[in-house]
C-alpha cells in the first residue's frame, strides 16, 4: 500500500513484517504543461534531471546524475537521462536505484533533487511526482506530488537518511533555482 506524502512527512523504510528494505527506486515522472496558443494547444519538451547527492556528516561525498550514472561504491545507480518526460504516461521517466545494503556505513543521507536543465520553470511542468518503490517486488511505498507550478527551476524532492540501523524517507518539496545539482547545494544544506 502506497502512502501519499505531504511536505515534511517522513516514513520508515521498514517492511510490514519488520524486516528492512534492501533496495529502493526513487522514480521521477513529469509532463510538459499544455499551453494555448494562436493555433491551438501545444507542449514544449522539458528536460528535468533527477540527481542523488550522498552525504557523510553533512559533507557531500558522491553524486549520481546524468553525467555520473553510478556512485563510486556502486550502491546508487541512475537508469539514464530522459530529455522530454511524459514517456512513461504516468510512470517513471527517470529513476535512481539505491541498494541500501551496499551504501557505505559512513553515508548517512541521500538527498534527491530534480532540476530543469533547460531552464524552464515548474509553471511549464504538470503531473510531476517522485515515488519510492521497493525494488525487490515493485511495490510503490510512497509518492510525493511535486505541486506548486512556481517560478522556480528545481526542487529538493526528498531525502533518505539513516535512523538507527534502518532508513527513513522524508518528503521535502523545497523549491529552488538551478540547472544542476551543483547549483542547488546552498538549498540542500539546510535539510541535512
Amino acid at each position: 500500500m502506497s502512502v501519499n506524502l505531504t511536505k515534511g512527512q517522513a516514513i520508515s523504510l521498514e517492511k510490514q513484517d519488520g524486516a528492512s528494505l534492501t533496495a529502493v527506486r526513487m522514480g521521477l515522472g513529469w509532463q510538459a504543461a499544455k499551453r494555448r496558443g494562436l493555433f491551438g494547444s501545444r507542449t514544449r519538451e522539458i528536460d528535468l534531471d533527477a540527481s542523488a547527492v550522498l552525504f557523510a556528516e553533512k559533507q557531500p561525498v558522491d553524486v549520481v546524475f546524468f553525467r555520473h550514472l553510478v556512485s563510486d561504491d556502486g550502491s546508487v545507480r541512475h537508469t539514464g537521462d530522459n530529455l522530454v518526460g511524459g514517456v512513461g504516461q504516468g510512470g517513471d521517466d527517470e529513476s535512481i536505484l539505491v541498494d541500501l545494503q551496499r551504501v557505505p556505513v559512513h553515508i548517512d543521507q541521500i538527498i534527491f533533487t530534480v532540476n530543469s536543465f533547460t531552464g524552464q520553470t515548474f509553471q511549464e511542468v504538470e503531473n510531476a511526482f517522485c515515488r519510492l518503490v521497493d525494488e525487490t517486488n515493485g511495490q510503490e511505498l510512497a509518492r510525493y506530488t511535486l505541486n506548486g507550478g512556481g517560478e522556480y527551476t528545481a526542487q529538493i524532492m526528498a531525502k533518505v537518511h539513516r535512523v538507527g540501523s534502518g532508513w527513513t524517507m522524508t518528503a521535502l518539496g523545497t523549491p529552488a533555482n538551478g540547472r544542476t545539482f551543483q547549483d542547488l547545494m546552498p538549498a540542500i544544506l539546510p535539510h541535512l
Side-chain angles (χ1 to χ4, degrees):
M1 180 172 128
S2 181
V3 175
N4 284 320
L5 294 176
T6 58
K7 186 175 181 174
Q9 185 178 0
I11 62 165
S12 172
L13 299 186
E14 192 172 272
K15 293 184 179 187
Q16 290 178 348
D17 64 4
S20 294
L21 291 171
T22 57
V24 294
R25 173 172 26 104
M26 180 65 71
L28 168 66
W30 75 92
Q31 294 175 324
K34 289 181 173 45
R35 296 285 179 229
R36 300 272 322 150
L38 186 58
F39 301 107
S41 64
R42 59 184 171 79
T43 59
R44 191 172 141 199
E45 293 179 350
I46 295 179
D47 179 12
L48 295 184
D49 291 318
S51 301
V53 185
L54 289 70
F55 287 87
E57 297 185 20
K58 300 186 179 186
Q59 297 299 314
V61 294
D62 201 355
V63 65
V64 174
F65 71 117
F66 68 93
R67 289 191 179 140
H68 185 244
L69 295 176
V70 181
S71 61
D72 293 340
D73 58 54
S75 66
V76 182
R77 184 172 55 89
H78 195 299
T79 60
D81 195 14
N82 179 323
L83 302 176
V84 296
V87 174
Q89 304 301 322
D92 300 337
D93 293 308
E94 289 193 11
S95 294
I96 297 176
L97 306 170
V98 182
D99 184 340
L100 295 169
Q101 293 180 315
R102 289 185 58 201
V103 174
V105 70
H106 70 283
I107 303 294
D108 54 10
Q109 298 184 69
I110 303 171
I111 304 285
F112 295 92
T113 66
V114 58
N115 55 274
S116 172
F117 187 73
T118 47
Q120 291 105 331
T121 68
F122 272 72
Q123 287 181 322
E124 299 177 67
V125 177
E126 65 182 23
N127 301 323
F129 65 88
C130 70
R131 67 188 193 128
L132 192 71
V133 176
D134 181 343
E135 193 60 14
T136 61
N137 63 16
Q139 179 184 359
E140 181 176 293
L141 303 169
R143 178 177 288 258
Y144 178 61
T145 302
L146 304 173
N147 291 327
E151 284 288 328
Y152 50 87
T153 60
Q155 276 202 20
I156 314 304
M157 292 190 309
K159 72 176 176 177
V160 173
H161 50 102
R162 290 186 194 270
V163 176
S165 62
W167 293 86
T168 295
M169 176 190 169
T170 301
L172 299 172
T174 302
N177 283 297
R179 294 180 53 207
T180 67
F181 75 90
Q182 293 101 325
D183 298 336
L184 304 179
M185 290 307 286
I188 291 172
L189 296 177
H191 297 289
L192 300 177

